Amino acid sequence: MPGSIQSLERAAAVLRLLAGGERRLGLSDVASSLGLAKGTTHGILRTLQQEGFVEQEPVSGKYQLGAELLRLGNSYLDVHELRARALVWTDDLARSSGEAAYLGVLHQHGVLIVHHVFRPDDGRQVLEVGAMQPLHSTALGKVLSAFDPVAHNEVAEGELAALTARTVTGSAEFESVLELTRSRGWGSDLEETWDGVASVAAPVYDRRRMPVGAVGVTGAVERLCDADGIRSRLVAAVRDCARAVSRDLGAGRF
Amino acid sequence: MTDTPTSSHGTGPFIAAIDQGTTSSRCIIFDRDGRIVAVDQKEHEQIFPKPGWVEHDAAEIWTNVQEVVAGAITKAGQDIAGFTPADVKAIGITNQRETTMLWDKNTGQPVHNALVWQDTRTDALCRELGRNVGQDRFRRQTGLPLASYFAGPKVRWLLDNVDGLRERAERGDILFGTMDSWVIWNLTGGVDGGKHVTDVTNASRTLLMDLKTLQWDPKICDSIGVPMAVLPEIRSSSEVYGTTDVGGLDAVPVASALGDQQAALFGQTCFAVGEAKSTYGTGTFMLMNTGETPVNSYAGLITTVGYRIGDAKPVYALEGSIAVTGALVQWMRDQMGLISTAAEIETLASSVEDNGGAYFVPAFSGLFAPYWRSDARGVIAGLTRYVTKAHIARAVLEATAWQTREIADAMFKDSSTEVTTLKVDGGMTSNNLLMQTLADFLDVPVVRPMVAETTCLGAAYAAGLAIGFWPDTDALRANWKRAAEWTPQMDATERDKEYKQWLKAVQATMGWLDEEES
């Protein structure tokens, strides 16, 4: 039976101690409560502090739980917050691309559309917010599967149903599609979900650089593609938009 | 690659717009399609000398305006290959309405801080001016009730309270302006030949202009105590007032001015009778185009000038305001702690199917349009043990939708014109549930345009029209792109039943304060 790692056990004990009872403790309080040497305790506290799990009060020098720990427990980004942040950028994406823009997140083994901007022409369109799209065939779904390990697990457990003649249904082939998506930073769907329809999408990151969603455009394959696949200016517009939303979420320049 | 890569920004020429707002001044540069090319923004200080008093330093604002114009031009230069300031063909202005200032025309110095629209120091003066008639004394001529927002009584307060000012004003040394006048006077040269003008929309918020003649009403000016010598010339919203060299520009026409809500009406291209826009921010302002004759309101709305393009006939609007909309969501976040960000209200509200029987009337400082009851206070009605915080969140969003419905109903009462489509803008339009609820409660489609900055866009449109950058309003309509549309899905019987419950809750707010308190 593999043994547990002593320093992790000790770090967990420190966090539990700071979480209960008196919330601010000095180094010697922590050391004596846990029966550890001061030097060892200091090393643990310093490491936890570097990770943001513990904070030291500048004046008293006492330790308390850090903001990062609170964020971990409350990590999920509200999808309505995501929409509010994306609004300006997705409007501009629809305008500059001339196509409908979508923002999707992982939800119950599929892609939940949380925001939809109409294609900027006079055609009749229906708002698709709240609709679900498949993970394995759409550009949004492939991007989520490629960048979000949870989405990857979900898609790997499910069946890769053939929605059109072009849907990738073999798991080895699908993995290489995800590998390509990861290496170039964007995903595409060339009539793999709906005949005659193509899409392109890129990942959106939050302030901790976690993939929280995907943004992209969808439209007639004749408009989105040229002989080489998705038109490069559309790829650029989608990736610009994804970067802008990520920056708005605090992901920093990249 | 077969594509020629295009910049994500448009190509020139361009129109610039200055938005001199309540908390900040901004400059946005637009291309011919109405897309944003560059933005710069700077906040200014909010000065609170006493409870209820709100002032701005007009000199600071003018400095900021120059900086944001220069800033936007610099940013455009960085982002667009080959851009020069000469590519900006005209500049337009939109502004916080009613904020009032006086300055010395010889020195160009403000004689006092500007009195901001929210400032209530003229409450007592307005009551006094109402005499035995009450707050509607000047409504027939001006379309407005005597309320502390409007500029005329603020001018009177300044003349009464700044030492020696009335004498200087009567000698002709002092100029009055709302922020549009101040910005245009400075843009066009200031002490060195600056043009002292205002536009019809801003003038219609002073309580001093006759809505039909579009001229200052000498009798009302006399009654309120404002000497005609301080008043600017009233011009249309879309014409060349002069030229400016500010911020690296060279003799660029200053070609539009519109109050912010009217600019949003223009930016939303509400050019036909019955077209309406509603801007959802902290509070909400809804304006409906009523055509070429002013419609008197007997249902608690305000009659105002919507816009006037050059020599064309003026277009009037009915306006209804809701004091608390986004502010109620902020209250749920900051005072109640039920949500941690404003957007979360939708998450919480979406977790239940309906309001669970609860109704929230946020009459925090009385009821505004169409009731105008200062004795009312907020109420959450219909509480049972079944009601959860999610139901309250739902009631919060429904409150905004019902209040909009009440304004739309009042507009129909006054004008016999039904709102057929509601064009929306402002921060709360990112709330999908609210937008669907609006469509359901009003029983009309709700549409959001692709450019969120409708206020600046309206000023840019009016300036572009004045110089022939855009040929006519049809060209502007073609620029208007639908980003989203919500269609009504509510059963009519259900809607009527809910509306009745809401109106009962509204009744419950009234008379909460005793007469002497309100």
Side-chain angles (χ1 to χ4, degrees), chain A residues 96-97 99 200 221-237, chain B residues 1-7:
Chain A
S96 65
S97 66
E99 300 295 339
V200 51
V221 66
E222 296 81 7
R223 288 196 309 267
L224 261 69
C225 297
D226 55 24
D228 303 323
I230 301 282
R231 291 176 194 273
S232 56
R233 74 172 174 86
L234 290 177
V235 173
Chain B
M1 265 173 254
T2 55
D3 269 0
T4 43
T6 54
S7 159

Side-chain angles (χ1 to χ4, degrees), chain B residues 193-241:
Chain B
K195 302 287 191 292
H196 187 219
V197 297
T198 186
D199 94 299
V200 284
T201 67
N202 279 294
S204 78
R205 317 296 294 192
T206 57
L207 269 168
L208 304 174
M209 186 186 80
D210 185 305
L211 273 178
K212 296 207 179 66
T213 64
L214 303 180
Q215 293 302 320
W216 304 119
D217 184 317
K219 272 193 195 149
I220 296 178
C221 290
D222 186 55
S223 305
I224 295 183
V226 175
M228 303 279 290
V230 303
L231 299 173
E233 185 188 349
I234 301 175
R235 305 278 287 267
S236 81
S237 321
S238 170
E239 63 175 283
V240 177
Y241 311 119

Side-chain angles (χ1 to χ4, degrees), chain A residues 78 80 83 91 95 118 127, chain B residues 33 346-347 430 448 450 483:
Chain A
D78 189 282
H80 300 113
R83 183 198 299 138
D91 274 6
R95 263 197 108 116
F118 288 172
L127 204 59
Chain B
D33 294 335
E346 185 175 356
T347 313
S430 75
R448 182 177 78 80
M450 227 163 242

Side-chain angles (χ1 to χ4, degrees), chain B residues 306-340:
Chain B
Y307 58 88
R308 183 184 192 184
I309 302 169
D311 294 331
K313 287 190 173 161
V315 170
Y316 295 91
L318 278 171
E319 172 175 326
S321 51
I322 310 170
V324 178
T325 50
L328 182 57
V329 176
Q330 290 163 6
W331 182 85
M332 290 284 282
R333 182 192 63 197
D334 301 336
Q335 257 87 344
M336 292 293 105
L338 289 175
I339 46 175
S340 62

Side-chain angles (χ1 to χ4, degrees), chain B residues 152 204 407 499:
Chain B
S204 78
I407 301 230
Y499 195 17

Side-chain angles (χ1 to χ4, degrees), chain B residues 15-29:
Chain B
I15 301 284
I18 295 168
D19 177 4
Q20 201 302 294
T22 306
T23 56
S24 72
S25 302
R26 296 191 303 162
C27 180
I28 302 187
I29 298 176

Side-chain angles (χ1 to χ4, degrees), chain B residues 348-370:
Chain B
L348 188 54
S350 302
S351 66
V352 287
E353 288 296 310
D354 55 32
N355 60 20
Y359 300 82
F360 195 152
V361 188
F364 290 165
S365 44
L367 283 169
F368 281 39

